[in-house]
Short mmCIF file of all heavy atoms in Angstrom, two decimals:
data_model
loop_
_atom_site.label_atom_id
_atom_site.label_comp_id
_atom_site.label_asym_id
_atom_site.label_seq_id
_atom_site.Cartn_x
_atom_site.Cartn_y
_atom_site.Cartn_z
N TRP C 177 -15.76 -175.68 -27.30
CA TRP C 177 -16.28 -176.70 -28.20
C TRP C 177 -15.32 -176.83 -29.38
O TRP C 177 -14.87 -175.83 -29.93
CB TRP C 177 -17.67 -176.31 -28.70
CG TRP C 177 -18.70 -176.31 -27.60
CD1 TRP C 177 -18.74 -175.50 -26.51
CD2 TRP C 177 -19.83 -177.17 -27.50
NE1 TRP C 177 -19.83 -175.79 -25.72
CE2 TRP C 177 -20.52 -176.82 -26.31
CE3 TRP C 177 -20.34 -178.19 -28.29
CZ2 TRP C 177 -21.68 -177.46 -25.89
CZ3 TRP C 177 -21.51 -178.84 -27.89
CH2 TRP C 177 -22.16 -178.48 -26.71
N CYS C 178 -14.99 -178.07 -29.75
CA CYS C 178 -14.03 -178.31 -30.83
C CYS C 178 -14.62 -179.25 -31.88
O CYS C 178 -15.56 -180.00 -31.61
CB CYS C 178 -12.74 -178.91 -30.27
SG CYS C 178 -11.86 -177.85 -29.10
N TRP C 179 -14.03 -179.23 -33.06
CA TRP C 179 -14.44 -180.12 -34.14
C TRP C 179 -13.24 -180.39 -35.03
O TRP C 179 -12.22 -179.72 -34.97
CB TRP C 179 -15.58 -179.50 -34.95
CG TRP C 179 -15.27 -178.17 -35.58
CD1 TRP C 179 -14.84 -177.93 -36.85
CD2 TRP C 179 -15.40 -176.87 -34.96
NE1 TRP C 179 -14.68 -176.58 -37.06
CE2 TRP C 179 -15.01 -175.91 -35.93
CE3 TRP C 179 -15.80 -176.44 -33.70
CZ2 TRP C 179 -15.03 -174.54 -35.65
CZ3 TRP C 179 -15.80 -175.08 -33.42
CH2 TRP C 179 -15.42 -174.15 -34.40
N GLY C 180 -13.34 -181.43 -35.84
CA GLY C 180 -12.27 -181.77 -36.77
C GLY C 180 -11.96 -183.25 -36.78
O GLY C 180 -12.80 -184.10 -36.46
N LYS C 181 -10.72 -183.57 -37.15
CA LYS C 181 -10.28 -184.95 -37.30
C LYS C 181 -9.33 -185.29 -36.15
O LYS C 181 -8.23 -184.73 -36.04
CB LYS C 181 -9.56 -185.12 -38.65
CG LYS C 181 -9.05 -186.52 -38.92
CD LYS C 181 -8.27 -186.52 -40.23
CE LYS C 181 -7.70 -187.90 -40.53
NZ LYS C 181 -6.86 -187.90 -41.74
N ASN C 182 -9.73 -186.23 -35.33
CA ASN C 182 -8.94 -186.55 -34.13
C ASN C 182 -8.01 -187.73 -34.42
O ASN C 182 -8.13 -188.80 -33.82
CB ASN C 182 -9.88 -186.85 -32.95
CG ASN C 182 -9.12 -186.96 -31.65
OD1 ASN C 182 -8.00 -186.48 -31.53
ND2 ASN C 182 -9.73 -187.59 -30.67
N ASP C 183 -7.05 -187.52 -35.29
CA ASP C 183 -6.10 -188.57 -35.64
C ASP C 183 -5.30 -189.07 -34.44
O ASP C 183 -4.94 -190.24 -34.37
CB ASP C 183 -5.11 -188.04 -36.68
CG ASP C 183 -5.63 -188.22 -38.09
OD1 ASP C 183 -6.72 -188.80 -38.24
OD2 ASP C 183 -4.97 -187.76 -39.03
N PHE C 184 -5.00 -188.18 -33.52
CA PHE C 184 -4.06 -188.51 -32.47
C PHE C 184 -4.74 -189.02 -31.20
O PHE C 184 -4.08 -189.26 -30.20
CB PHE C 184 -3.20 -187.27 -32.16
CG PHE C 184 -2.50 -186.76 -33.38
CD1 PHE C 184 -2.94 -185.62 -34.04
CD2 PHE C 184 -1.40 -187.42 -33.89
CE1 PHE C 184 -2.30 -185.16 -35.16
CE2 PHE C 184 -0.75 -186.96 -35.02
CZ PHE C 184 -1.21 -185.83 -35.66
N TYR C 185 -6.06 -189.19 -31.24
CA TYR C 185 -6.81 -189.78 -30.14
C TYR C 185 -6.51 -189.07 -28.82
O TYR C 185 -6.37 -189.70 -27.77
CB TYR C 185 -6.52 -191.28 -30.02
CG TYR C 185 -6.79 -192.01 -31.31
CD1 TYR C 185 -5.76 -192.47 -32.11
CD2 TYR C 185 -8.10 -192.20 -31.75
CE1 TYR C 185 -6.01 -193.11 -33.31
CE2 TYR C 185 -8.37 -192.83 -32.95
CZ TYR C 185 -7.33 -193.29 -33.72
OH TYR C 185 -7.59 -193.91 -34.92
N SER C 186 -6.40 -187.77 -28.89
CA SER C 186 -6.10 -187.00 -27.70
C SER C 186 -7.29 -186.17 -27.22
O SER C 186 -7.20 -185.49 -26.22
CB SER C 186 -4.92 -186.06 -27.97
OG SER C 186 -5.21 -185.21 -29.06
N LEU C 187 -8.38 -186.24 -27.96
CA LEU C 187 -9.60 -185.53 -27.57
C LEU C 187 -10.73 -186.54 -27.41
O LEU C 187 -10.64 -187.66 -27.89
CB LEU C 187 -9.94 -184.47 -28.63
CG LEU C 187 -8.95 -183.30 -28.68
CD1 LEU C 187 -9.17 -182.46 -29.92
CD2 LEU C 187 -9.05 -182.44 -27.43
N PRO C 188 -11.79 -186.15 -26.71
CA PRO C 188 -12.82 -187.14 -26.34
C PRO C 188 -13.76 -187.54 -27.47
O PRO C 188 -14.96 -187.53 -27.32
CB PRO C 188 -13.57 -186.42 -25.21
CG PRO C 188 -13.40 -184.98 -25.51
CD PRO C 188 -12.02 -184.84 -26.09
N TRP C 189 -13.20 -187.88 -28.64
CA TRP C 189 -13.96 -188.50 -29.70
C TRP C 189 -12.99 -189.22 -30.62
O TRP C 189 -11.78 -189.04 -30.53
CB TRP C 189 -14.82 -187.49 -30.48
CG TRP C 189 -14.07 -186.58 -31.40
CD1 TRP C 189 -13.59 -186.85 -32.64
CD2 TRP C 189 -13.71 -185.21 -31.15
NE1 TRP C 189 -12.97 -185.75 -33.19
CE2 TRP C 189 -13.03 -184.73 -32.30
CE3 TRP C 189 -13.94 -184.34 -30.08
CZ2 TRP C 189 -12.56 -183.43 -32.39
CZ3 TRP C 189 -13.45 -183.05 -30.18
CH2 TRP C 189 -12.78 -182.60 -31.33
N ARG C 190 -13.50 -190.02 -31.52
CA ARG C 190 -12.67 -190.74 -32.48
C ARG C 190 -13.10 -190.37 -33.88
O ARG C 190 -14.29 -190.23 -34.16
CB ARG C 190 -12.81 -192.26 -32.28
CG ARG C 190 -12.30 -192.74 -30.92
CD ARG C 190 -10.79 -192.62 -30.81
NE ARG C 190 -10.30 -193.12 -29.54
CZ ARG C 190 -10.06 -192.36 -28.47
NH1 ARG C 190 -10.30 -191.07 -28.53
NH2 ARG C 190 -9.59 -192.90 -27.36
N GLY C 191 -12.12 -190.22 -34.77
CA GLY C 191 -12.42 -189.93 -36.16
C GLY C 191 -12.88 -188.50 -36.38
O GLY C 191 -12.30 -187.56 -35.87
N ILE C 192 -13.96 -188.33 -37.15
CA ILE C 192 -14.47 -187.02 -37.53
C ILE C 192 -15.61 -186.63 -36.61
O ILE C 192 -16.50 -187.43 -36.31
CB ILE C 192 -14.96 -187.02 -38.99
CG1 ILE C 192 -13.83 -187.47 -39.92
CG2 ILE C 192 -15.46 -185.63 -39.38
CD1 ILE C 192 -12.59 -186.62 -39.85
N ARG C 193 -15.62 -185.39 -36.19
CA ARG C 193 -16.67 -184.95 -35.28
C ARG C 193 -17.01 -183.50 -35.57
O ARG C 193 -16.14 -182.68 -35.86
CB ARG C 193 -16.20 -185.08 -33.83
CG ARG C 193 -17.25 -184.72 -32.78
CD ARG C 193 -18.30 -185.80 -32.65
NE ARG C 193 -19.38 -185.44 -31.76
CZ ARG C 193 -19.66 -186.07 -30.62
NH1 ARG C 193 -18.93 -187.10 -30.22
NH2 ARG C 193 -20.68 -185.71 -29.87
N GLY C 194 -18.30 -183.18 -35.49
CA GLY C 194 -18.74 -181.80 -35.52
C GLY C 194 -18.52 -181.18 -34.15
O GLY C 194 -17.91 -181.78 -33.26
N PRO C 195 -19.03 -179.98 -33.89
CA PRO C 195 -18.78 -179.32 -32.61
C PRO C 195 -19.15 -180.19 -31.42
O PRO C 195 -20.24 -180.76 -31.36
CB PRO C 195 -19.67 -178.08 -32.69
CG PRO C 195 -19.77 -177.78 -34.15
CD PRO C 195 -19.80 -179.14 -34.81
N HIS C 196 -18.19 -180.30 -30.48
CA HIS C 196 -18.35 -181.18 -29.32
C HIS C 196 -17.71 -180.47 -28.13
O HIS C 196 -16.62 -179.90 -28.24
CB HIS C 196 -17.64 -182.51 -29.58
CG HIS C 196 -17.69 -183.48 -28.44
ND1 HIS C 196 -18.79 -184.29 -28.20
CD2 HIS C 196 -16.79 -183.78 -27.47
CE1 HIS C 196 -18.56 -185.03 -27.14
NE2 HIS C 196 -17.36 -184.75 -26.68
N GLU C 197 -18.38 -180.49 -26.99
CA GLU C 197 -17.84 -179.82 -25.82
C GLU C 197 -16.61 -180.58 -25.32
O GLU C 197 -16.65 -181.75 -24.99
CB GLU C 197 -18.89 -179.76 -24.70
CG GLU C 197 -18.40 -178.94 -23.50
CD GLU C 197 -19.43 -178.84 -22.39
OE1 GLU C 197 -19.67 -179.88 -21.73
OE2 GLU C 197 -20.01 -177.75 -22.21
N VAL C 198 -15.48 -179.87 -25.25
CA VAL C 198 -14.22 -180.44 -24.81
C VAL C 198 -13.86 -179.96 -23.39
O VAL C 198 -13.34 -180.72 -22.59
CB VAL C 198 -13.10 -180.08 -25.80
CG1 VAL C 198 -11.73 -180.48 -25.28
CG2 VAL C 198 -13.36 -180.75 -27.15
N ILE C 199 -14.15 -178.69 -23.13
CA ILE C 199 -13.89 -178.13 -21.79
C ILE C 199 -15.20 -177.51 -21.30
O ILE C 199 -15.71 -176.56 -21.91
CB ILE C 199 -12.79 -177.07 -21.82
CG1 ILE C 199 -11.49 -177.69 -22.38
CG2 ILE C 199 -12.54 -176.51 -20.42
CD1 ILE C 199 -10.34 -176.70 -22.50
N PRO C 200 -15.78 -178.02 -20.23
CA PRO C 200 -17.06 -177.49 -19.74
C PRO C 200 -16.89 -176.12 -19.11
O PRO C 200 -15.76 -175.68 -18.84
CB PRO C 200 -17.49 -178.54 -18.71
CG PRO C 200 -16.21 -179.15 -18.23
CD PRO C 200 -15.29 -179.16 -19.41
#
């Protein structure tokens, strides 16, 4: 699970996000 600022649009969310499952 990851969180932070996804400036580079390389993770499955846009902008600011709290904890989000990235690798199941």
Side-chain angles (χ1 to χ4, degrees):
W177 293 64
C178 298
W179 59 95
K181 180 184 178 184
N182 190 19
D183 273 357
F184 303 104
Y185 305 107
S186 58
L187 291 168
W189 73 79
R190 296 291 182 265
I192 304 301
R193 183 75 185 244
H196 178 82
E197 186 179 71
V198 172
I199 302 178

